Amino acid sequence: MSTLVGWHVELQFTEEGSRTTAAALVRLADGSELRGRGHALRHPTDPEQLRVGEEIAGARAMSDLASQLLEKAHAEIDETTGRHSHPINH
């Protein structure tokens, strides 16, 4: 039996001077929510490119979410099997 599940992911950005911050939120089918953060800092001599800062900060926030999802999955495996699962590296 296959199940089609969707996740809702939101990203929000803030810009303060040369710093871009991304806040990511994923809502999972089990009702839980995970939140990740990422930052990007523009070098003073680099031109202002907001989109690039958002891409870097957003990628880092989603990487944070990915790590949390792996931790959550391993905790669920361990709880179900009673054994320690081996980490999956991304």
Side-chain angles (χ1 to χ4, degrees):
M1 181 172 117
S2 64
T3 304
L4 180 61
V5 177
W7 292 352
H8 182 82
V9 179
E10 295 178 19
L11 282 166
Q12 184 175 23
F13 301 96
T14 56
E15 310 277 347
E16 292 183 27
S18 61
R19 183 178 178 89
T20 303
T21 301
L25 166 71
V26 61
R27 292 186 180 98
L28 303 174
D30 66 3
S32 63
E33 293 182 350
L34 298 175
R35 297 172 191 275
R37 296 193 67 79
H39 306 280
L41 186 61
R42 180 176 46 86
H43 189 275
T45 61
D46 289 342
E48 192 171 319
Q49 295 178 291
L50 297 179
R51 182 178 48 83
V52 173
E54 288 173 353
E55 290 169 351
I56 293 169
R60 289 176 175 162
M62 289 190 288
S63 179
D64 185 14
L65 284 179
S67 294
Q68 292 179 52
L69 284 165
L70 286 170
E71 288 178 24
K72 183 179 185 309
H74 281 284
E76 291 173 1
I77 291 168
D78 294 351
E79 184 179 316
T80 300
T81 64
R83 297 186 311 241
H84 178 71
S85 59
H86 297 283
I88 303 170
N89 296 322
H90 67 287

